Amino acid sequence: MLLERDLIQAVGFRNVGDGDDVTGFQLRVRMPSYRGMAASLIDGIAVRVDDLVDVGHDVPLWTFSGRTYTLAQLWDSDGVRWQLEDAAVITVPYPGGLPEGVHEVSIELRLRMSYVPVEHQPSTYSETRHITLSSGVDGGPFQYGVSLYSFMTDYGTVLDLETALAAVADVGATGVEILGEGHVENYPSPSTAWIDRWFALLEKYSLEPTNYGSWIDTRLHSSGVNARDLTALEGAAMLQRDLRLAATLGFRFVRPKIGVVTSDLVPHPTWTEAVERSLDLAADLDVIICPEIHSPTPIKHEVVDDYIGLIQRTGTKHFGLLLDTGIFQDRPIPLRPGELPGRRPAFLDGIGVDPADIAGIAEYVVFIQAKFHDIDENLEDQQIPWVPVLRALKDSGYTGYLSSEYEGERTPWRSIEQVRRQHSLMRRVVGELA
């Protein structure tokens, strides 16, 4: 399991207590040295949070390998180590705990290095970071999850599978969404060992598989003198391969991203036959196929009408709609460095679908990808109007997953904090809805 680069870790920042009494809060801190060391060399850690908490270096408690110590106990300890690969858990007494939301957290960590002259000791490491306290709000009637797509391009570079799942669980989410070709090792034929580890990690972090992202690559053979489109039979084979793998991994929903033929995402005409040929298998596996309604396609569109038409024509219970909240974006995404106005797709400025349109399709919606791009330190989303969106979903009777899909700036580790902010924001909004 990997650690965040910052000394103060976002994952693990939470209130703690004894029974129903909240007695303080915790944060995790990475070892700043190039080596692990005996815990008796720790000289304490001062912690400040906003204008609420300011405690000296001897106040916080330290937890290593599941055992908690005072600073004095660490000084007298033998064999207790702060390993380089492990974060120390710091507990700060604070009756009632911290309020939910984004906090400015500062630390001053002191370590004693035996090979540095005593007059230059202790070595001091200071850092300040804004991080979101994991929410204790229930957030009903919805369930909450995270797509591991949120962590691209962190995944495989600064995050591994376990680190990503730990970050998902730490926000109080219970569901995890993956991309088959993005997260399954040796796709489409993962080893038995990888599958066993997948289920072991799900159990460890109390997560359930939700939606599995797949592709029907209609342009699979689109180059060269023998270029051609994929046939419906070939598309069905692709979809059925992923239905089987998704079911093996415990997923209940499969999102096929189907090749498109227009700029407003009208799918290739073979999609209907490819899906209908796969409905019996989906029923046997008890998996629901759910293509997404994704910007720039609005709710009131022929694509959506065709999807609903298939449901009505076949009577299937194993095909539904996946709604991507990016369609409700009503403010532009800022231009990236070097990006010129008018040189990118217009839908990145938002297509502003009215959330009231959800009512017309609600009975067919089986999953929500909670797309977002940037939430600031005041827990205000800069593009998505969550109050009307979540109100419309609640009023429609939807009680399924809201699965975070962060698609903003890809600075390493930023996605972890952004997902924390979104979950805090969504739970707060839902709690305030009449």
Side-chain angles (χ1 to χ4, degrees), residues 167-201:
V168 171
D170 199 62
V171 297
T174 58
V176 60
E177 178 183 359
I178 71 167
L179 307 177
E181 295 185 62
H183 302 106
V184 176
E185 186 178 280
N186 198 39
Y187 169 92
S189 304
S191 66
T192 300
W194 188 91
I195 294 173
D196 290 344
R197 182 167 182 266
W198 164 253
F199 282 110
L201 290 174

Side-chain angles (χ1 to χ4, degrees), residues 18 50 69 88 94 103 105 141 196 205 230 237 242 264 276 302 359 393:
D18 182 10
D50 304 323
Y69 307 85
Y94 187 65
H103 295 280
V105 181
D196 290 344
Y205 293 105
L230 213 65
D242 281 301
D264 54 349
E276 290 197 34
E302 63 179 279
L393 287 171

